[in-house]
Amino acid sequence: MIKKYLRQSWLMMRTEKLYSSLYIGGVALSIAAVMVLSMALYANLAPLYPEYNRLNTVYFDCLSTSYKAPGDQTMQQQWWLSEWTVNNVIDSMKTIDKYAAFYKSDFDNRRNYSDENGNEVPLNVTYVNPGFFKVYDFDFVEGRPLSDDEFKSDSKVVILSDLTAERLFGSPTGCTGRLIKINYLDYKVIGVVKEPSNILISSAMAYIPYSTDRNILPYSNIIVGALIVTAIPKDGVTLQQMADEFRHYFQPVITANKDINLEVNTYDRPISHYTRVFGGGFDDSPALGYFSIIALILLIVPAMNLSGMIVGRMEQRKQEMGIRKSFGAKRRTLLWQVIVENMLLTLTGAIIGLVLSWILINTIGSVIFGMIGNAELPDNTRLTPEMLFSPGIFGLVLILTLVLNLLSSYIPVWWSLRHPIVESLNQKR
């Protein structure tokens, strides 16, 4: 019976091309819009490689100082955290389980990178501490993470991404122990990791200890500097407790510098991952609620339009239904036939919508992700397969779409089939 319904549905799609095209197009656009929104939220919020602990990660990403300079001028500085703040404040906080301190090479364009043959190769380098590889769970193709001894002794070592290692040496394996030049100095490769998507804060082509680089750290004052800190709090610790402790550690410095009216503004740091993504304009929960409402609207409005199209089409098919009922066709049989027809159109539109969403994400992904999140993304946004296709998200969107389209088709069809046979047979085409 189902095969018969499918054959009839296929014949209907071929004979009623305008109706079928509008129906499939409406479903495809609806699915594409919701999938793009869902994928953008998923990439910004979900636990993805190597940021598997995103929901529990907090960010110390803003700090400022003001003090009275000679001549009674008030000097203000706002940036991230200095090396002193990391060593004397973050490292002393009892509410932190582990933390990563790092900065990106984008802040200094004077660097030179080259392979062992002296060929210049542009690299996006992140300067890190050993805790970086404890907060972020990287998959090592070979080698090992940065050690505490190497960091403290300013060892010139580097960990490459697999894509960078393949570009430099032709293969992601067999690279440990080899040398590359960074700012004209030799760095030894001690490990190769699977490269994350470049929309993630943990992404880079190469990782080296920031203790080896003194070109940017001295430009920061004693409190404000160039280091971002991400941390995992201890179990049961709240953001407010961490913020209070963070602020408390600056009190001795403020007291010791009363003569220059030193003030330190911590901006209620740390913040949660949700707050970092959505910005200060959203609370954690309402933001997801707003996007959920948008997604439902994107599904419900097309479903209502499709329901209107089905009503008009059923008016045209009243004579057909009346003739079939006069020959003994049951209402349930006719109902299932029309529902199968619409479900086939819905599934066709869903597949097209899924493909369209992938095309949009891959072509203008940086624009879309930037609109959802609160971070500046590179123009050459590179997404991983786990970002492009999440079976759970696609399954949920597809189920919602099928349910809404089932309701949008069932109600007008059920209402139309309630008409008496005589009335249906006398209906003018």
Side-chain angles (χ1 to χ4, degrees):
M1 185 65 70
I2 294 295
K3 290 183 179 179
K4 181 180 178 181
Y5 288 160
L6 291 175
R7 283 197 299 269
Q8 291 173 339
S9 301
W10 177 248
L11 179 62
M12 180 272 299
M13 290 173 63
R14 295 179 60 185
T15 55
E16 300 185 25
K17 294 180 180 178
L18 178 60
Y19 171 82
S20 300
S21 299
L22 291 174
Y23 195 107
I24 292 172
V27 173
L29 290 176
S30 176
I31 287 284
V34 174
M35 281 299 297
V36 166
L37 177 63
S38 301
M39 283 191 286
L41 288 172
Y42 183 80
N44 275 288
L45 299 176
L48 301 171
Y49 169 82
E51 301 178 11
Y52 296 118
N53 212 0
R54 267 177 160 184
L55 298 182
N56 200 32
T57 302
V58 299
Y59 298 78
F60 297 85
D61 59 355
C62 190
L63 193 62
S64 72
T65 60
S66 65
Y67 57 92
K68 188 178 295 184
D72 288 336
Q73 291 183 343
T74 299
M75 301 294 293
Q76 291 183 329
Q77 285 186 307
Q78 179 177 338
W79 206 6
W80 294 322
L81 280 60
S82 70
E83 188 177 21
W84 180 92
T85 299
V86 171
N87 294 337
N88 294 275
V89 177
I90 298 296
D91 199 57
S92 302
M93 290 179 64
K94 296 177 176 58
T95 54
I96 291 178
D97 181 34
K98 50 190 173 184
Y99 70 89
F102 57 96
Y103 72 89
K104 303 282 188 178
S105 62
D106 303 340
F107 302 123
D108 190 346
N109 297 321
R110 297 168 297 173
R111 306 192 181 283
N112 171 274
Y113 312 100
S114 60
D115 59 20
E116 56 188 358
N117 297 319
N119 301 315
E120 290 195 6
V121 178
L123 293 179
N124 172 17
V125 176
T126 293
Y127 294 78
V128 302
N129 70 338
F132 186 86
F133 296 98
K134 298 175 183 176
V135 172
Y136 300 113
D137 189 13
F138 283 90
D139 292 337
F140 276 80
V141 178
E142 66 174 17
R144 56 174 176 78
L146 176 67
S147 70
D148 291 329
D149 290 339
E150 286 168 330
F151 183 76
K152 292 175 182 177
S153 62
D154 298 347
S155 298
K156 291 179 173 53
V157 294
V158 60
I159 296 169
L160 300 176
S161 73
D162 56 346
L163 300 181
T164 303
E166 187 169 1
R167 186 172 54 167
L168 291 173
F169 304 118
S171 171
T173 57
C175 304
T176 53
R178 302 177 75 168
L179 300 177
I180 64 170
K181 287 189 180 295
I182 299 178
N183 207 25
Y184 304 103
L185 298 175
D186 287 332
Y187 280 74
K188 184 175 73 171
V189 179
I190 62 170
V192 177
V193 297
K194 179 184 173 184
E195 184 171 323
S197 165
N198 60 355
I199 73 168
L200 302 179
I201 194 172
S202 58
S203 172
M205 298 177 183
Y207 305 88
I208 67 173
Y210 69 71
S211 58
T212 64
D213 176 63
R214 297 296 161 184
N215 289 325
I216 191 168
L217 293 180
Y219 291 108
S220 57
N221 69 12
I222 192 172
I223 294 174
V224 176
L227 295 173
I228 300 174
V229 171
T230 58
I232 305 298
K234 290 182 178 178
D235 293 340
V237 172
T238 65
L239 277 175
Q240 187 60 56
Q241 290 174 324
M242 298 185 76
D244 291 341
E245 186 183 20
F246 185 49
R247 193 163 42 244
H248 168 75
Y249 273 102
F250 291 110
Q251 289 305 317
V253 182
I254 295 173
T255 302
N257 291 275
K258 280 186 175 180
D259 56 324
I260 60 172
N261 294 331
L262 176 66
E263 294 181 3
V264 179
N265 190 344
T266 61
Y267 297 96
D268 292 326
R269 261 46 180 180
I271 58 173
S272 68
H273 184 73
Y274 280 105
T275 304
R276 178 179 176 270
V277 170
F278 294 121
F282 288 103
D283 291 330
D284 292 355
S285 322
L288 285 177
Y290 298 147
F291 286 113
S292 299
I293 292 172
I294 292 173
L296 285 175
I297 291 174
L298 290 173
L299 290 173
I300 291 173
V301 172
M304 293 175 64
N305 290 332
L306 295 177
S307 182
M309 290 176 58
I310 294 170
V311 170
R313 183 165 173 268
M314 290 306 298
E315 286 295 318
Q316 297 176 350
R317 298 181 66 180
K318 273 187 178 179
Q319 274 196 342
E320 173 196 340
M321 297 301 170
I323 292 173
R324 294 187 62 182
K325 283 196 289 185
S326 67
F327 280 92
K330 296 182 179 179
R331 184 186 301 174
R332 183 178 61 183
T333 303
L334 299 176
L335 181 64
W336 270 109
Q337 178 190 337
V338 178
I339 287 177
V340 169
E341 290 175 359
N342 288 298
M343 292 297 283
L344 180 62
L345 293 173
T346 298
L347 288 173
T348 304
I351 295 172
I352 296 174
L354 180 62
V355 174
L356 180 60
S357 67
W358 284 339
I359 293 174
L360 289 173
I361 286 292
N362 281 287
T363 52
I364 57 173
S366 60
V367 176
I368 296 170
F369 281 58
M371 291 171 63
I372 299 297
N374 195 39
E376 294 184 7
L377 301 178
D379 293 331
N380 57 335
T381 299
R382 185 178 61 80
L383 304 176
T384 57
E386 64 178 334
M387 292 179 175
L388 289 175
F389 183 73
S390 168
I393 288 180
F394 177 68
L396 179 61
V397 172
L398 182 59
I399 289 172
L400 285 174
T401 304
L402 291 177
V403 169
L404 288 172
N405 280 275
L406 181 63
L407 293 175
S408 68
S409 60
Y410 180 85
I411 294 174
V413 173
W414 175 81
W415 182 260
S416 177
L417 292 176
R418 290 180 69 251
H419 292 288
I421 296 177
V422 175
E423 180 180 336
S424 299
L425 291 174
N426 290 332
Q427 177 72 32
K428 293 183 179 180
R429 289 183 177 273

